[in-house]
Amino acid sequence: MSRRLGLLGGTFDPPHLGHLVVAECARVELGLDEVRLLVAGEPWMKGATVTSAADRLRLAEAAVSGDRHLRVDDREVRRDGPTFTADTLVELRAEEPDAELFFVLGEDAAAGLPRWERVEEAFAKATFVVVTRPGHAAPAADVLPAAVVHLEVPQLEVSSTELRRRFGAGLATRYLVPDAVDAAVRELGLYGAAATAP
Ligand code: ATP
């Protein structure tokens, strides 16, 4: 049987439990051999990113540490210019000709699919998996270039935006991000977080 490789694209600013639950549910429920956090270099759909790619990579590495099914893929950070998933999927297909690729994204991110660069090309290279996210709905089938797989995951109302706010305001962050991410955020002095956890 061919290897089944899952890809969770994102800014990961910072990575949180929502991301890990999505990755784990996709792995188990779609029978994936591995899931990679694909850290975006220049996420052009998000406007300016405050945190450097190097720091976001470091946080992503912290998030997957200790999980043998998860790893970080840094190719989009190494590539110059805006991040287009189509380029990434073309590259991965060439590298792993026998693997089946699954590109996983939340309903909020999926709503932007019609605006993606070369979205048909991206859909030709991977199966797109749309996971449920609180406060969002799946995009209508007729705005997408091809069918997607829908996956229901436990609904965790956590986002990177909310985590940045919580770190900056000195609110609780433990259990919302892995301990290693919490420590790395404080060590790197990101989001105005205090050096030691409350
Ligand atoms: P932001 O606060 O800027 O919206 P984010 O929390 O969505 O950030 P990203 O790195 O942009 O973080 O997310 C990467 C992928 O993970 C996206 O496809 C997003 O939809 C999905 N995702 C993030 N958080 C959740 C969640 N709680 N439940 C389901 N999917 C999620």
Side-chain angles (χ1 to χ4, degrees), residues 141-156:
D142 62 357
V143 302
L144 300 176
V148 298
V149 171
H150 292 277
L151 181 66
E152 253 183 64
V153 299
Q155 297 295 275
L156 298 174

Side-chain angles (χ1 to χ4, degrees), residues 21-45:
V21 167
V22 166
E24 179 68 358
C25 288
R27 180 182 77 79
V28 173
E29 284 150 47
L30 303 173
L32 308 178
D33 296 291
E34 175 185 309
V35 179
R36 295 190 192 171
L37 303 190
L38 200 51
V39 179
E42 278 180 40
W44 60 282
M45 292 188 80

Side-chain angles (χ1 to χ4, degrees), residues 50-72:
V50 281
T51 309
S52 72
D55 283 353
R56 288 184 291 110
L57 271 180
R58 173 126 177 241
L59 298 181
E61 289 290 357
V64 304
S65 58
D67 186 327
R68 67 191 173 89
H69 299 291
L70 279 186
R71 49 175 280 207
V72 172

Side-chain angles (χ1 to χ4, degrees), residues 79-98:
R79 193 190 304 145
D80 280 338
T83 297
F84 298 136
T85 303
D87 295 329
T88 304
L89 295 177
V90 167
E91 233 177 81
L92 277 162
R93 274 255 71 94
E95 261 170 47
E96 308 236 8
D98 299 326

Side-chain angles (χ1 to χ4, degrees), residues 7 30 85-86 89 101-105 109-110 113 116-131 144-151:
L7 302 157
L30 303 173
T85 303
L89 295 177
L101 305 182
F102 294 82
F103 191 89
V104 180
L105 70 183
L113 277 169
W116 279 25
E117 286 281 323
R118 297 170 12 241
V119 69
E120 276 90 2
E121 201 178 339
F123 267 66
K125 304 284 176 200
T127 299
F128 275 66
V129 180
V130 177
V131 301
L144 300 176
V148 298
V149 171
H150 292 277
L151 181 66

